[in-house]
Structure formats: C-alpha cells, structure tokens
Amino acid sequence: MQASPIQWLSKGQTRIPFAVYRDDEVYAQEQKNIYRGNTWNYLCLESEIAQPGDYKTTFVGDAPAVVVKDDDGEVYAFENRCSHRGALICLEKSGKGAKDFQCVYHAWSYDRQGNLKGVAFEAGINGSGGMPSSFCKEEHGARKLRIAVFCGLVFGSFSDDVDPIEEYLGAEICQRIERVLNKPVEVIGRFTQALPNNWKLYFENVKDSYHASLLHLFFTTFRLNRLSQRGGIIVDASGGHHVSYSMIDEDQATASTNEYQDQGLRSEQTGYQLADRSLLQGFTEFDDGVTLQILSVFPGFVLQQIQNCLAIRQVLPRGVENTDLNWTYLGYVSDTPEQREVRLKQANLIGAAGFVSMEDGAVGGFVQRGIAATEQEQAVIEMGDEGSESGKSRATEASVRGFWKAYRACMGV
C-alpha cells in the first residue's frame, strides 16, 4: 500500500487531519484504493434501464461508465473510454434501444457488454493502411465492471475481490433498504447540485445525526427531526454504512421544545411559520412509525425517506474541493394521484434550495474555506464517546467515526 502523504496522529477515528480534505495526492489515492478498490458503487436504478438497449452514463469516482441492459436481461457496465485514443464512447446521459455504442472520434464500435466489435477501415483502403494483422479486437474491449443488483439498485465495482452485495451491506442495512424499496419505483424528478467542497465533507454530513436539528431550522421549527425524539443509529460492522432514523412523537413535543430552548439554540428563536402548511400534511405508508430515515452505503450512496419524500443521492468527487451531488426523486409505481401530489410537494424539502437541505449545500463549503490554512490541525469527533457502534442516541458522531473506520481500512492509513 502506498504511504499516506499526510500524517495521521491518532490510530482511532476521533481525530481527523484537516489536510485529508485538501491534498491532491490523497485524492488520487482515494480514486485507486476506494473507487477502484473493493467497494460497490451505486450506478443507477434498474428501472431506468428496463428494456434491452436502455442505457445510462455515470461515474465511479472519476471514472466515467456506461450502464446498459442487454438482450439476455442482464445489466452490464463498462468504462466509458475508447481503447483506441481514450475518448468517451458514449456522449449522452441516457438513451433507449441502443444496438451498440460508437466512439465519435474514429468510429470504433462496442457492443452492449463493452466488447470491441468494429474498427473503421480495419483492413485499410485498396490494400493500403489499416491495422496490422496481429491486431485482435478481443484484447481491446472497454474495461468492464462487476454488477450487483439489490432491491432495484444497480451497483458496480472494478474489483474482482469485493464481497457479494448482501455481505457488503450487512443484514441490517439490507433490511432498511428493503423497508423503503419494497415495491417498484419510478423516477419523478432529478437534478445535479455542485458542492464547493471535498466529497468526504458531504458524506460525513449525511452520517452526522448530531447536526441535523441544529443546522436545519426547518427540522426543528416544525418538529420533523429533533434529537429528543425517539430513534437511533445503525452502523454496520465495517463502519462504512449507516442508518439514522427518528419518529415524530407528539407526546414529547413540549419537553422537546423546552430542551432546545434551554440550550439557547438559534433554531428556537426564528419565529418562522409556513403560509401553506399542507406541505407537512402527508400520509402514513410505513407501519413502524419512522418518519425520517437517512441511509448511506460507502463510498457514495444515500437513500432517504423524509416524511413521504423518497430520494436517492449519489455523491461524486470532482476534484479535491468540488463534488457533484446527483438527486433522484422517487415515487412508487402504485402511487395514487393524491399520493404523487404529496411527494411532489414534499420534494421542496430537499435539494439545493430545499427547506431542509439547502444548508447542507453551504456548510461543506464553510468547512473547506475554514481549513484553508491548516497544517497539523485535526477535527475533533468525540460526541458520543469514541466508538462506531449502533445505538439509540442520535446526539452522537458514531456513524461519522464509522465512515473513518471504513475509509482508513480502504486507504491503509
């Protein structure tokens, strides 16, 4: 394993050197050890490539990829890079009914499984030019990914050694994914949000249940999520995957308000109201009482349920200080028109300008700017002690420490 370019002063997960968010060499090692290492990376929903020839382009870290369904009903994925001169093979974000893929630069063509099938003027013209007789197309296909499909989610990996997807996720994370994706879904909206910070800052933020009702005034003001509500944290054995969940309990509302007021928090001093409170009027669709569930899979997948708003977030690094966040809003195929209207209205809770999550798009940039002059300084991650175990308290950073447990294992630091 390549030596780390920065110094880790602790063997645990409670002290994280700020340099890890700023170093170009660290970023390059992450691409190799994490994204092209023993991990499963979210690619798309299987429902987005339902028929043979349907395809999407996406990324595994920095590596562009094509995901496509073939005539055998199987999903395939390969690196979106022509083996000739390195140009993108597919330029479109998605499409249907593709028979093959042809590089626009020199017209080399690939089948749906990434095999090189055609080379323009391979035999030359009039017996002159062309490729040498020793050239073998079978040796020059696109680099292929392993594929795993779980609950309609398509994951890909460049590794031959990564565990089967169910083992990679673990039983509790599988159960919590199945809880939400328990029937066919369809995409009801999507967009990409550009974040001015390192990818790890956003993925940590997703796992940080401590901040949710402190940073997000909407959560606390309208009691959608408070640390005093019933709920908990699930962290898998690797540390890399987590679930944070909570339940609205009206009997605790008064006690919760007093606790937040006693802390002198700004979230109790806003006086904000909604002109249209129908935004918060949803319907019961899960029988466990959980009204908020945020689930993450290392290194960059998020599945959310906030009230009736269901969405997938794909976290993609775009350099040391930039991240793309792909949002995909979901509805069930079986939704009634009234249920679909609720989902679309509650979609205003999340996203770049969402009532809840607009702060998440800014706070990572605040950190990136704040650590610009750091050298040996470290982040302090001690809320809830120093472990990364599951528990009933959300006033903890256990799942953030879990992220660093998985990260350090992948990076060998």
Side-chain angles (χ1 to χ4, degrees):
M1 186 74 72
Q2 185 177 354
S4 174
I6 62 173
Q7 184 177 6
W8 290 72
L9 302 177
S10 168
K11 293 183 178 180
Q13 285 80 49
T14 64
R15 295 292 187 274
I16 307 302
F18 286 125
V20 78
Y21 306 105
R22 299 171 44 229
D23 190 275
D24 288 314
E25 191 173 341
V26 168
Y27 181 85
Q29 287 186 14
E30 290 169 351
Q31 298 304 311
K32 177 182 178 181
N33 297 342
I34 296 177
Y35 292 99
R36 295 193 293 275
N38 294 334
T39 61
W40 285 108
N41 295 265
Y42 172 74
L43 301 178
C44 67
L45 289 164
E46 189 173 19
S47 61
E48 296 179 278
I49 49 170
Q51 301 299 322
D54 292 354
Y55 68 89
K56 278 184 64 69
T57 55
T58 185
F59 291 85
V60 176
D62 278 346
V66 180
V67 194
V68 61
K69 181 160 285 188
D70 205 355
D71 286 328
D72 60 3
E74 296 296 319
V75 177
Y76 296 88
F78 51 89
E79 189 175 10
N80 192 6
R81 174 181 58 83
C82 183
S83 56
H84 176 218
R85 299 285 294 278
L88 293 172
I89 297 170
C90 181
L91 302 179
E92 304 297 327
K93 289 185 177 181
S94 63
K96 294 183 177 298
K99 300 298 183 183
D100 55 24
F101 299 91
Q102 188 175 89
C103 174
V104 69
Y105 197 0
H106 297 95
W108 286 32
S109 60
Y110 299 79
D111 67 16
R112 295 169 178 168
Q113 299 183 26
N115 301 306
L116 179 62
K117 303 303 291 185
V119 173
F121 299 109
E122 181 178 1
I125 298 177
N126 297 325
S128 178
M131 300 296 287
S133 59
S134 60
F135 179 77
C136 178
K137 289 195 288 290
E138 287 75 12
E139 296 176 357
H140 294 278
R143 180 164 56 164
K144 300 178 181 180
L145 285 78
R146 288 180 59 192
I147 289 294
V149 181
F150 181 77
C151 283
L153 303 170
V154 179
F155 293 90
S157 179
F158 283 112
S159 171
D160 291 329
D161 299 321
V162 64
D163 290 335
I165 188 66
E166 289 84 357
E167 295 179 23
Y168 182 81
L169 296 172
E172 287 186 295
I173 302 300
C174 285
Q175 187 274 325
R176 287 287 177 157
I177 293 175
E178 291 169 335
R179 172 186 172 274
V180 176
L181 302 180
N182 56 17
K183 48 189 171 183
V185 298
E186 59 187 0
V187 176
I188 61 175
R190 70 171 89 244
F191 62 90
T192 297
Q193 180 181 1
L195 303 176
N197 51 263
N198 187 275
W199 70 274
K200 297 184 293 297
L201 288 171
Y202 184 80
F203 205 54
E204 279 183 300
N205 179 78
V206 167
K207 295 170 175 290
D208 179 4
S209 56
Y210 176 37
H211 88 279
S213 62
L214 304 175
L215 174 67
H216 302 307
L217 302 186
F218 195 93
F219 263 161
T220 307
T221 301
F222 299 104
R223 296 173 180 166
L224 297 185
N225 183 18
R226 294 186 174 210
L227 292 175
S228 48
Q229 291 173 348
R230 290 183 298 129
I233 297 287
I234 299 170
V235 185
D236 83 304
S238 76
H241 323 314
H242 103 292
V243 178
S244 173
Y245 63 96
S246 64
M247 312 170 195
I248 294 177
D249 190 339
E250 296 299 333
D251 293 337
Q252 292 181 327
T254 301
S256 171
T257 298
N258 292 338
E259 288 176 2
Y260 273 71
Q261 288 176 343
D262 291 344
Q263 296 285 324
L265 302 175
R266 68 187 180 98
S267 56
E268 287 300 314
Q269 303 167 13
T270 64
Y272 291 129
Q273 297 293 325
L274 282 173
D276 180 7
R277 291 191 62 87
S278 68
L279 175 70
L280 302 178
Q281 294 170 1
F283 56 93
T284 301
E285 59 184 343
F286 299 102
D287 58 11
D288 55 8
V290 172
T291 51
L292 183 146
Q293 175 179 290
I294 305 295
L295 179 152
S296 69
V297 174
F298 186 86
F301 169 82
V302 183
L303 175 65
Q304 69 146 68
Q305 172 226 338
I306 301 176
Q307 305 288 83
N308 302 114
C309 180
L310 311 177
I312 287 171
R313 312 176 201 174
Q314 182 189 30
V315 183
L316 293 175
R318 286 292 175 264
V320 174
E321 296 186 357
N322 294 281
T323 301
D324 276 355
L325 181 59
N326 291 330
W327 295 82
T328 304
Y329 294 89
L330 303 178
Y332 295 121
V333 173
S334 60
D335 282 347
T336 66
E338 293 77 16
Q339 290 172 331
R340 184 58 55 86
E341 182 178 358
V342 168
R343 295 198 202 283
L344 291 171
K345 183 174 287 189
Q346 290 187 2
N348 290 288
L349 295 174
I350 63 168
F355 290 130
V356 171
S357 64
M358 65 176 174
E359 296 95 344
D360 289 329
V363 73
F366 297 163
V367 177
Q368 198 76 50
R369 290 155 57 189
I371 64 175
T374 54
E375 295 179 359
Q376 296 298 319
E377 291 83 357
Q378 304 174 91
V380 178
I381 308 178
E382 289 188 351
M383 180 62 67
D385 206 1
E386 58 183 37
S388 56
E389 293 77 27
S390 303
K392 293 298 183 183
S393 174
R394 290 175 297 122
T396 180
E397 292 168 312
S399 48
V400 179
R401 290 188 290 271
F403 168 79
W404 288 109
K405 176 183 176 181
Y407 179 92
R408 298 191 73 170
C410 284
M411 293 289 284
V413 296

